[in-house]
Amino acid sequence: MKKKELLASVLAAASLMCTTGCDLKEFFAKDSGESEQQTDYGHELDPEIHQLVADSEYQAISGENGIGFETALTADEIASKTEVGLYDSDNNKVSDLYDDGTNGDRIAGDGIYACRYKPEVNSETELAYKVKIGDTETDSVNIRYFDDITEKDFDDLSEVSGSFESLIAEYEDGNGNVPAENQQTVLDLAAEKAAEMVKSGEAVNYRINRDSNNVVIKLSSGITYIYETPIEGVDGGKSANIDLSITTCQPFKYSYEAEKSERSGYMKCADEGAQAIADEFDNITFDRNIDNQSVSPETVRTFGANQIILWHGHGTYDSDLHSVIKFDMSPSGIYKTTDYVSEALIAVNSNLAYTYKFVDAYVGDMSNSLIYLGCCKSGIDGVLASSYLKKNCNVVIANTESIVTVYNISMIKSFSEYLSEERKFLFIPIEYRTASAALSEAKGDLGKDDGSDRHATPKIFGNTKYRLSDAVEDNLKDKDTGFTEPEGSIVLDKAYVSVKVGGTASVSISKYPSGYSASDFTWAIIDDTSVATVSGGTVKGVKAGNTVLEVKSSDGKFSQYCAVTVTE
């Protein structure tokens, strides 16, 4: 709808409201759920408890950046200029630690001393490091170094996947899924096998996630492998121009269509939702429909500005990896060893998957874009969502838990259709719905959650006031007027913090846009405000849960996000 037509409609509606006694402000207030939400990971360091942390416990020998180490000093230690250094297991000092914004230190003068260190390593090994602060030593941190991943490692990975499938075959039903009464038994068997792999040297370590029905294993090759129990009926089991463009990604579409079940008929929902948007707006085109094995890591690397991405597939979760999104393809050697060792790419059963680290490393600017991650547990803590928001993506919609397939795919379609429909008053178009209003309408039709015991529901991260009509209009405006944003960006020192109820954690701005200073930014909790509070970068836990911190410039041109988890 053009601006003149929209103005005429609004004036007509206002006139009708005057004669009927309906208040215009009250009418627009019915666009519920307008509170903004967003996200972004880090660790807390207590200077009273001398602790050494590393930004990764794994490193590829061919990696160039080394491992980042951090520790915190007390005010007295800082004032007395206590010597602080990184030492190896032979008690040799290998590096100084710094608090001046160099050598891997993120923020100068914050009491966190850091360094980035890469040893001369020629073969696979595990090395231990500690920090000495004067006469005090921290506990050691172990770093495992891996050789380059080979094609044989991928061949061995196929054997690993096959051995797990054989292990649990007797517990599967006729469709290859594990009934509820057998799921814990299967997880126990998978964990026992993982323990045997560690003992035999096939794996470095493992952990079991009962809530996510998976076992995470770091193989001796450096590849991270997840065995996930296949569960029936949820999406987590087996099987640059001036216009906006729409991409639909359904990496497991064929597996649903092959089923003779209710779900097979729903596989067109994502495409229908995309087409509804394209049909409504002249400047939005549905130009990429990517299905099955055509959906790959390269697809994710093409995500950029002015895009709407509707992704329906499988996902899982691990507290270290956070939300994991799967592809229907086998792992291969087309990516770098560092991508697997750093866990940007991992293997889940017989499939490949990406984590937030892949987005951080490879996705470019996503200004003016929206992505719907219709996968299980894609928004369980907001870290994956924040990796997209940090790329300037406007809106990320993700699921809070394992989600029922029919509800999930129907939500993608319903949300898309409502986002492309104009709200009306007495049959007169008023305005297009915001993202939050569209999601609210869709939940009104399909239910607030998926009806399962987990009560999974899609959740918005980002600008909940995002409107497709505004996205197209603003993009054209930028083209016509030559409007450009001020140079630079805002960067936070953490994208994720975890804090206990009653405890606090600090988040700082480590980089400002050109011409901006601290006084130009405000701090606010914008998701579930009952979970935490924030004051000048200090986050305080109120009750257990997940929420999002937003730091925003007073002129509204810059914002950044930090995901917050509060535990008991």
Side-chain angles (χ1 to χ4, degrees):
M1 180 182 288
K2 299 293 186 292
K3 283 188 174 180
K4 289 182 178 179
E5 296 171 346
L6 178 61
L7 178 60
S9 297
V10 171
L11 290 175
S15 176
L16 283 169
M17 289 172 189
C18 288
T19 61
T20 60
C22 181
D23 182 70
L24 185 64
K25 182 177 180 180
E26 179 183 350
F27 176 79
F28 280 111
K30 293 179 181 178
D31 188 1
S32 60
E34 290 290 345
S35 60
E36 295 189 6
Q37 320 175 24
Q38 334 255 356
T39 26
D40 266 302
Y41 16 82
H43 41 253
E44 295 179 67
L45 289 172
D46 187 343
E48 300 297 335
I49 304 173
H50 289 121
Q51 177 188 10
L52 175 63
V53 297
D55 60 8
S56 176
E57 58 183 310
Y58 308 117
Q59 174 80 6
I61 293 174
S62 58
E64 299 177 355
N65 295 328
I67 299 290
F69 296 91
E70 288 185 335
T71 193
L73 271 63
T74 66
D76 289 342
E77 289 167 339
I78 296 171
S80 60
K81 298 183 179 180
T82 303
E83 183 179 354
V84 54
L86 182 70
Y87 288 76
D88 62 20
S89 57
D90 294 325
N91 215 32
N92 297 314
K93 184 177 180 180
V94 296
S95 177
D96 290 316
L97 274 74
Y98 305 85
D99 189 19
D100 59 2
T102 67
N103 299 285
D105 180 54
R106 293 181 291 177
I107 303 175
D110 66 347
I112 306 295
Y113 283 69
C115 69
R116 186 160 287 278
Y117 175 66
K118 184 180 186 300
E120 293 294 329
V121 176
N122 298 315
S123 60
E124 290 193 344
T125 187
E126 184 170 284
L127 299 178
Y129 301 96
K130 61 186 176 183
V131 161
K132 289 185 179 181
I133 305 169
D135 296 329
T136 303
E137 293 184 1
T138 67
D139 290 336
S140 294
V141 170
N142 295 326
I143 307 298
R144 172 77 180 222
Y145 295 88
F146 293 92
D147 284 331
D148 283 345
I149 294 170
T150 65
E151 288 299 326
K152 183 180 183 304
D153 292 324
F154 289 107
D155 291 340
D156 292 343
L157 183 60
S158 297
E159 294 182 11
V160 170
S161 177
S163 68
F164 274 92
E165 290 180 5
S166 299
L167 181 70
I168 57 93
E170 64 179 288
Y171 296 95
E172 294 180 338
D173 60 21
N175 295 318
N177 295 300
V178 176
E181 64 269 19
N182 293 332
Q183 288 168 15
Q184 294 307 311
T185 299
V186 165
L187 277 180
D188 289 336
L189 287 173
E192 289 175 10
K193 180 173 179 58
E196 292 172 0
M197 293 174 68
V198 172
K199 187 175 181 179
S200 68
E202 296 176 81
V204 176
N205 56 42
Y206 76 96
R207 57 185 174 271
I208 183 170
N209 298 307
R210 294 194 180 277
D211 286 345
S212 296
N213 291 294
N214 66 43
V215 178
V216 181
I217 308 166
K218 190 68 172 181
L219 301 177
S220 57
S221 63
I223 298 173
T224 298
Y225 173 80
I226 296 181
Y227 167 74
E228 183 181 37
T229 306
I231 301 173
E232 172 73 21
V234 298
D235 284 330
K238 208 166 184 174
S239 2
N241 51 43
I242 62 172
D243 300 331
L244 269 71
S245 63
I246 309 175
T247 299
T248 58
C249 299
Q250 289 185 271
F252 296 91
K253 187 176 183 180
Y254 80 92
S255 65
Y256 296 106
E257 291 176 329
E259 299 173 356
K260 295 184 181 300
S261 70
E262 172 189 21
R263 291 181 292 169
S264 62
Y266 283 84
M267 290 307 105
K268 58 186 179 181
C269 283
D271 296 341
E272 289 176 344
Q275 194 59 55
I277 294 173
D279 289 344
E280 179 66 16
F281 297 95
D282 293 337
N283 297 101
I284 301 179
T285 57
F286 177 22
D287 57 0
R288 290 202 304 169
N289 175 13
I290 310 174
D291 297 327
N292 302 321
Q293 291 191 342
S294 296
V295 185
S296 71
E298 284 303 310
T299 306
V300 179
R301 293 181 70 160
T302 66
F303 294 168
N306 308 315
Q307 294 185 8
I308 301 164
I309 298 140
L310 306 178
W311 183 299
H312 170 245
H314 294 325
T316 188
Y317 179 82
D318 173 73
S319 59
D320 289 347
L321 301 172
H322 301 282
S323 296
V324 174
I325 306 299
K326 293 186 272 185
F327 305 100
D328 181 30
M329 57 186 294
S330 297
S332 67
I334 61 174
Y335 292 95
K336 297 182 293 185
T337 292
T338 52
D339 291 329
Y340 290 98
V341 173
S342 69
E343 300 176 333
L345 292 174
I346 63 173
V348 182
N349 294 353
S350 60
N351 302 124
L352 190 64
Y354 78 91
T355 70
Y356 72 92
K357 293 182 180 181
F358 189 86
V359 179
D360 288 346
Y362 294 115
V363 175
D365 177 64
M366 291 188 67
S367 297
N368 210 34
S369 292
L370 176 152
I371 181 169
Y372 195 125
L373 293 172
C375 308
C376 282
K377 299 178 179 285
S378 52
I380 196 167
D381 65 8
V383 172
L384 177 61
S386 72
S387 66
Y388 280 108
L389 293 174
K390 288 193 298 178
K391 300 295 183 176
N392 301 316
C393 187
N394 279 31
V395 184
V396 179
I397 300 175
N399 294 318
T400 59
E401 264 297 347
S402 295
I403 194 162
V404 174
T405 299
V406 172
Y407 178 84
N408 184 31
I409 189 66
S410 298
M411 282 297 305
I412 295 174
K413 177 184 177 182
S414 186
F415 167 80
S416 301
E417 290 177 340
Y418 276 120
L419 197 63
S420 64
E421 289 182 1
E422 292 174 297
R423 299 173 68 228
K424 297 179 179 180
F425 175 74
L426 298 180
F427 307 105
I428 298 175
I430 300 296
E431 61 182 358
Y432 287 96
R433 289 177 176 83
T434 62
S436 62
L439 192 60
S440 178
E441 294 274 12
K443 289 181 178 179
D445 288 346
L446 302 171
K448 292 184 178 180
D449 60 49
D450 66 352
S452 69
D453 293 340
R454 292 175 179 266
H455 301 290
T457 185
K459 176 181 180 181
I460 297 179
F461 300 87
N463 178 15
T464 61
K465 296 182 180 179
Y466 179 93
R467 239 183 276 268
L468 284 179
S469 53
D470 296 337
V472 175
E473 186 80 19
D474 289 346
N475 205 21
L476 292 171
K477 177 186 68 176
D478 294 350
K479 173 82 173 186
D480 294 340
T481 64
F483 172 82
T484 56
E485 293 282 5
E487 293 182 1
S489 61
I490 176 176
V491 178
L492 302 182
D493 69 322
K494 299 181 182 73
Y496 172 75
V497 293
S498 179
V499 61
K500 292 184 178 180
V501 172
T504 61
S506 62
V507 181
S508 303
I509 300 175
S510 55
K511 180 182 176 182
Y512 293 94
S514 177
Y516 288 73
S517 62
S519 61
D520 297 315
F521 290 87
T522 58
W523 301 71
I525 298 294
I526 54 171
D527 188 359
D528 188 341
T529 57
S530 66
V531 169
T533 62
V534 63
S535 176
T538 299
V539 180
K540 183 176 182 179
V542 177
K543 73 173 187 179
N546 298 305
T547 189
V548 180
L549 162 67
E550 180 189 39
V551 183
K552 188 174 184 179
S553 61
S554 55
D555 58 14
K557 294 179 179 178
F558 294 94
S559 57
Q560 192 54 275
Y561 316 98
C562 178
V564 178
T565 294
V566 179
T567 59
E568 294 289 357

